[in-house]
C-alpha cells in the first residue's frame, strides 16, 4: 500500500546502520506506521538486513505495524497516574470508544494506546490526544469529551 | 574571561534588563507541558486578545515551569514601577481580570499567589516565603519559570556559561579537583561520584571520546529532567560542554525520550543559539578545538536509561544491556571511552564551575552534597517539582513543602526511586533524604520521583503495578529478569485477585532474591525492590489478602463493594450524575441504589458524596 515515494524522507539521513532508529521514526512520522515494504526500503538505505530492521522496530514501543486512527489517544500508565486512577480512565475510554487498548475504531478515527509517562505527573491522571495533554481527568470527563466527539 | 564573552554578557544583560527594568508591562506565562495541560495556551491567548483590544502594548514571554504544578497556569505581571506579581490557577476568567489590572485597574489580590523580587505588596507573600517554596533552595531550577528558554540571552544574563569560561581557564587536573571537592554524585540514580567517572574516562586510552547526556527519564511518575530541559535547556548544555572539555571529547549526544516533544523542541533551539554564539562549533573549546552536540530521540523503552542499553540504542540496535565491565568510561559508544551523565548532574556541574565547589557543598550532608530536584506527586496537596538540600527529611518534603496528604485522608506510604525503589511507611518519614539513608531503609534516591500514597492505596496492588511495568519493560536478554519479573507479577496478581495462598509470600521473597542476584542489568537487579519493601513494611496487608481474603485499603476490586446507606443519602443524585457506567439510580430526594451488576468499583460515587453516604465494604470473594 505504500506507493508513497520515501526518498525525500530517507535522503536526510546518512546511509549508515546508526541511522536506523531515526529513519524508522521519520518513516512512521510520514506514514503513520511502518508497512513491511517501507521497512525493506529502510533496510536498503541503512545498509542493514531486513531482519535487523524488524528486530529493532519490534523492540521499541514507539513503532507500529498497523495504521492508526486520525486521533491517537494515549493513556498514561505512569505511577502518579496509576495512583490517581488511570485504569478507570483507560477502561472508560475502552467503553466509550468501543475498542480495547491497542485497537483502532473501524472508521479509522480513534486509536487507543498507553504510554509510560507524559511527564505531567503533577496533574495526574493524564492522557494525550495527538500529543496534546489533558490532565486531572475523571471517568465522567473522559466519557463526555469523547461522547461528543463520537457523534 | 575573554573579551568576546564579556561583550556577549553585556548584550545579554541589556536584553534581560530591558525586560526586567523596561517601561513596557511584561507578562510571563508558564507554558511548559504541565502549564499547557492546565490551559496555559488559552490563558495566553485571552491575555493577548484582551490587551490588544485595549490597545495596550505589552511584552509577552513564554517561560518554563516554576514548580507548583497544582497552581498552573501561572502568570506573572510586571508593570513599570510596580512589584512583580505572580498569579496562580489563571483560567480564562482570571485572565480577563489580570488584563484589567494591566490596563490600570486595582490588583486582583484574590488571584495573587506571590510577589517576586524585592518590592512587596502588603498581604501577599514573597515567592520564597510561600509554604511551597519556603524549605526549598532553588539552584538547578533557578531559571525555570523565570527566563525565556528560547532566548540564550536570558540565561546568560543570569550567569549561565560563566562556569564554562572558568573551566576553559583551568587545566584538567584543576577541573577534576573542583568536581571532587564539590562532592557531586550522579543524579540519575546510582549516585556515583562524578569526578571519578570522568577520571576513568580521561585515563582510558584513545583519542576519540564521547559525552552522553541521559535525558531518557524512564521513571514513570517523574519529570525533573523534562522541566529543566523545557524551562532552562542551557543549564544542562553548559555542563555538557564542560564535560566534553574535561574528558577530551569533541562530540556529545543527548538521548532524550520521544514522549517529551516540547523538551526536544526547546533543546533544538537552544543548541542552535549556542552554536550561533560559538559555545558549540568548530572552536568551542578553544581555537581549532571543536565540540558539537547531537540529539538522539529515544523510541520508548525504559531499559534504554541503562547505560549500555542506551549506547546500543544510539548505535541503532535493540536497546539491550551488556555485561559490565568493561564500563562505558573505558569502552562505550562505538567502543570508545564514554561518559554518561544525567541531565541534572550536568546542570549541577555548570553551577559548580560558576560558583565554586565550596559554594556548592554548602548544602547537603557529609556524603551527599548539594541540592536535588524531586517530582512530588500522588496523593499530595501541592504536587510539583521542588528542589531541596540533600538531607532534608521526607516529612519536610511531603508535609511542609507538599502540604501533606490531599483530600483529608491519612498518609500511608511514600515511594522513592521509581520502579527500582521502594515504599516507606510513616515511621520512616524522619530519615534524611540522602543516598545512604534511603538505601539503609530499603529504597533508593533514584532520579527524584517521590510518590505519596494515602490510606486508600493497596500496597500489594502497588507492588503489582511496578512488577507489571518491569515485566513489560524487561528487554528479554537474560532469563532471571524476563521470566522472574513475569512470575512475580503472576503471584501478585493472584494475591490481589483473591487466589493467593500463604505460601505465596515466601515464594515471592525467595524469587525476589533470585531475580536480584541473577539479572544482567540494573532493571532486573532492582525490579523486586517494590515487592521486598512492601513485604517488609506492609506485610499485614499481604497477609490479609491471602488469609482473610480482604484488602485492608479497600482498593482491590475483587474484595470490595460499594453501598449507599439509607440514613445519610439525601437523594441529591450527585453520585448518579458522575457514575461513568450509569450504575446508580433513584428518584430525586429519595434513597439511591448501586447496581452491583454494572459497578466497575471506580469509587467516584464515594469520592463525590459530601454526606458520607457511600461506603466501601468488604465483599468476600
Ligand atoms: C533500567 C534502568 C533505567 C535507568 N533509567 C535512567 C534514566 O531514565 N535516566 C537517567 O539519568 N539514568 C537512568 N538510569 C541510570 C543510568 O544507567 C546511569 O547510572 C546514569 O545515567 C548515570 O548518570 P549519573 O552518574 O549522572 O547519574 C537507569 C538505570 C537502569 C538500570
Ligand atoms: S505518571 Fe502520568 S504523566 Fe507521569
Amino acid at each position: 500500500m505504500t506507493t508513497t515515494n520515501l526518498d525525500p524522507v530517507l535522503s536526510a539521513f546518512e546511509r549508515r546502520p546508526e541511522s536506523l532508529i531515526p529513519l524508522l521514526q521519520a518513516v512512521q512520522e510520514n506514514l503513520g506506521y511502518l508497512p513491511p515494504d517501507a521497512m525493506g526500503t529502510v533496510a536498503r538505505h541503512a545498509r542493514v538486513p531486513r531482519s535487523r530492521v524488524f528486530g529493532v522496530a519490534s523492540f521499541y514501543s514507539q513503532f507500529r505495524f498497523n495504521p492508526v486512527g486520525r486521533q491517537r489517544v494515549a493513556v498514561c500508565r505512569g505511577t502518579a497516574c496509576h495512583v490517581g486512577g488511570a485504569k478507570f480512565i483507560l477502561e472508560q475510554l475502552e467503553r466509550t470508544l468501543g475498542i480495547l487498548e491497542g485497537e483502532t475504531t473501524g472508521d479509522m478515527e480513534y486509536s487507543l494506546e498507553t504510554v509510560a509517562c507524559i511527564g505531567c505527573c503533577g496533574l495526574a491522571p493524564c492522557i494525550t490526544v495527538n500529543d496534546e495533554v489533558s490532565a486531572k481527568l475523571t471517568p465522567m470527563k473522559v466519557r463526555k469529551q469523547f461522547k461528543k466527539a463520537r457523534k | 574571561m575573554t573579551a568576546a564573552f564579556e561583550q556577549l554578557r553585556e548584550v545579554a544583560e541589556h536584553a534581560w534588563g530591558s525586560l526586567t527594568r523596561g517601561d513596557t508591562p511584561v507578562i510571563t506565562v508558564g507554558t511548559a507541558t504541565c502549564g499547557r495541560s492546565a490551559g496555559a495556551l488559552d490563558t495566553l491567548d485571552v491575555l493577548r486578545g484582551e490587551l490588544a483590544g485595549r490597545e495596550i502594548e505589552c511584552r509577552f514571554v513564554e517561560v518554563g515551569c516554576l514548580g507548583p504544578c497544582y497552581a498552573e497556569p501561572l502568570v506573572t505581571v510586571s508593570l513599570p514601577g510596580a512589584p512583580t506579581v505572580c498569579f496562580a490557577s489563571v483560567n480564562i476568567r482570571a485572565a480577563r481580570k489580570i488584563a484589567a489590572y494591566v490596563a490600570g485597574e486595582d490588583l486582583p489580590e484574590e488571584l495573587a499567589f506571590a510577589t517576586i523580587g524585592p518590592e512587596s505588596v502588603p498581604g501577599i507573600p514573597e515567592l520564597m516565603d510561600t509554604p511551597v517554596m519556603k524549605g526549598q533552595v532553588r539552584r538547578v531550577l533557578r531559571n525555570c519559570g523565570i527566563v525565556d528558554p528560547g532566548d540564550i540571552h536570558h540565561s546568560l544574563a543570569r550567569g549561565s556559561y560563566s562556569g564554562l569560561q572558568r573551566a576553559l581557564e583551568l587545566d584538567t587536573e584543576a577541573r577534576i579537583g573542583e568536581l571532587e571537592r564539590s562532592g557531586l554524585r550522579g543524579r540519575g540514580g546510582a549516585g556515583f561520584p562524578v569526578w571519578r567517572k570522568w577520571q576513568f574516562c580521561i585515563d582510558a586510552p584513545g583519542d576519540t571520546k564521547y559525552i552522553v547526556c541521559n535525558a531518557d527519564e524512564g521513571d514513570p511518575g517523574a519529570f525533573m529532567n523534562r522541566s529543566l530541559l523545557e524551562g532552562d535547556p542551557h543549564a544542562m548544555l553548559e555542563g555538557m560542554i564542560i564535560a566534553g572539555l574535561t574528558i577530551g571529547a569533541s562530540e556529545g549526544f543527548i538521548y532524550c525520550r520521544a514522549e517529551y516533544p516540547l523538551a526536544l523542541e526547546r533543546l533544538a533551539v537552544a543548541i542552535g543559539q549556542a552554536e550561533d554564539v560559538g559555545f558549540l562549533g568548530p572552536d568551542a573549546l578553544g581555537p581549532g578545538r571543536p565540540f558539537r552536540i547531537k540529539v538522539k530521540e529515544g523510541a520508548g523503552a525504559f531499559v534504554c536509561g541503562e547505560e549500555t542499553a542506551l549506547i546500543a540504542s544510539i548505535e541503532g540496535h535493540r536497546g539491550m544491556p551488556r555485561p559490565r565491565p568493561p564500563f562505558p568510561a573505558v569502552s562505550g559508544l562505538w567502543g570508545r571511552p564514554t561518559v554518561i551523565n544525567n541531565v541534572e548532574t550536568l546542570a549541577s556541574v555548570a553551577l559548580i564551575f560558576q560558583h565554586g565547589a565550596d559554594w556548592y557543598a554548602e548544602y547537603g550532608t557529609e556524603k551527599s552534597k548539594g541540592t536535588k530536584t524531586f517530582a512530588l506527586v500522588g496523593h499530595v496537596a501541592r504536587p510539583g517539582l521542588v528542589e531541596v538540600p540533600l538531607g532534608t527529611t521526607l516529612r519536610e518534603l511531603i508535609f511542609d513543602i507538599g502540604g501533606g496528604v490531599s483530600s483529608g485522608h491519612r498518609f500511608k506510604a511514600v515511594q522513592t526511586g521509581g520502579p527500582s525503589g521502594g515504599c516507606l511507611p510513616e515511621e520512616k518519614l524522619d530519615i534524611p533524604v540522602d543516598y545512604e539513608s534511603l538505601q539503609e531503609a530499603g529504597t533508593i534516591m533514584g532520579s527524584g520521583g517521590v510518590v505519596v500514597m494515602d490510606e486508600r492505596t493497596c500496597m500489594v496492588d502497588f507492588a503489582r503495578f511496578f512488577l507489571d511495568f518491569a515485566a513489560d519493560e524487561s528487554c528479554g536478554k537474560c532469563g532471571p529478569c524476563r521470566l522472574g519479573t513475569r512470575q512475580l507479577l503472576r503471584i501478585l496478581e493472584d494475591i490481589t485477585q483473591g487466589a493467593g495462598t500463604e505460601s505465596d509470600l515466601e515464594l515471592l521473597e525467595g524469587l525476589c532474591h533470585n531475580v536480584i542476584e541473577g539479572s544482567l542489568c540494573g532493571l532486573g537487579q532492582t525490579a523486586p525492590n517494590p515487592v521486598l519493601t512492601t513485604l517488609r513494611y506492609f506485610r499485614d496487608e499481604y497477609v490479609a489478602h491471602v488469609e482473610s481474603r480482604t484488602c485492608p485499603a479497600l482498593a482491590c476490586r475483587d474484595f470490595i463493594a460499594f453501598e449507599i446507606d439509607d440514613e445519610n443519602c439525601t437523594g441529591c443524585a450527585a453520585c448518579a450524575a458522575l457514575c461513568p457506567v450509569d450504575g446508580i439510580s433513584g428518584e430525586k430526594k429519595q434513597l439511591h441504589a448501586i447496581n452491583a451488576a454494572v459497578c466497575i468499583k471506580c469509587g467516584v460515587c464515594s469520592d463525590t458524596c459530601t454526606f458520607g453516604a457511600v461506603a466501601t465494604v468488604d465483599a468476600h470473594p
Side-chain angles (χ1 to χ4, degrees), chain B residues 325-343:
Chain B
F327 288 93
V330 175
S331 174
L333 208 48
W334 296 293
R336 315 283 192 176
T338 304
V339 164
I340 301 176
N341 277 131
N342 171 262
V343 174

Side-chain angles (χ1 to χ4, degrees), chain B residues 196-263:
Chain B
R196 198 172 285 159
K197 194 188 272 189
W198 291 19
Q199 187 68 56
F200 281 142
C201 186
I202 293 167
D203 295 341
D207 292 331
T208 307
K209 295 179 181 178
Y210 296 105
I211 167 78
V212 175
C213 169
N214 190 343
D216 198 39
E217 193 145 76
D219 173 359
F223 53 96
M224 299 76 49
N225 295 171
R226 171 187 70 70
S227 267
L228 188 58
L229 293 176
E230 287 180 359
D232 186 17
H234 295 287
M236 183 281 288
L237 290 181
E238 182 183 359
M240 198 166 167
I241 302 169
I242 296 173
L245 172 72
T246 307
I247 64 169
S250 55
E251 206 172 359
F253 293 89
I254 302 170
Y255 189 84
C256 182
R257 67 203 302 248
E259 290 89 339
Y260 288 175
L262 188 60

Side-chain angles (χ1 to χ4, degrees), chain B residues 433-515:
Chain B
V433 177
D434 62 53
Y435 294 95
E436 280 74 24
S437 306
L438 288 175
Q439 205 156 8
E440 225 165 86
T443 180
I444 58 165
M445 173 92 77
S447 58
V450 176
V451 186
V452 177
M453 282 159 284
D454 68 24
E455 56 193 340
R456 296 169 300 169
T457 311
C458 170
M459 289 297 115
V460 189
D461 181 64
F462 193 60
R464 183 206 54 78
F465 163 77
F466 277 118
L467 263 295
D468 190 14
F469 181 81
D472 209 33
E473 295 292 345
S474 172
C475 79
K477 183 165 176 170
C478 75
C481 174
R482 180 182 69 240
L483 304 171
T485 52
R486 200 146 290 277
Q487 190 59 30
L488 285 170
L489 173 64
R490 287 226 181 110
I491 301 171
L492 290 164
E493 280 174 347
D494 276 352
I495 299 177
T496 54
Q497 290 168 5
T501 61
E502 275 161 62
S503 62
D504 279 348
L505 304 195
E506 271 138 64
L507 194 60
L508 269 180
E509 258 163 351
L511 192 52
C512 280
H513 292 294
N514 292 341
V515 173

Side-chain angles (χ1 to χ4, degrees), chain B residues 533-588:
Chain B
T533 50
T534 47
L535 271 170
R536 172 165 161 195
Y537 295 116
F538 301 95
R539 198 177 186 92
D540 49 339
E541 284 198 39
Y542 281 84
V543 173
H545 281 76
V546 295
E547 267 184 11
S548 55
R549 300 269 189 258
T550 54
C551 172
L554 294 173
C556 290
R557 277 199 262 200
D558 290 301
F559 298 90
I560 59 165
F562 287 86
E563 278 173 6
I564 301 182
D565 80 69
D566 44 2
E567 266 178 35
N568 292 331
C569 177
T570 62
C572 72
C575 56
L578 287 178
C579 175
V581 289
D582 300 322
I584 303 180
S585 54
E587 297 294 317
K588 251 209 141 48

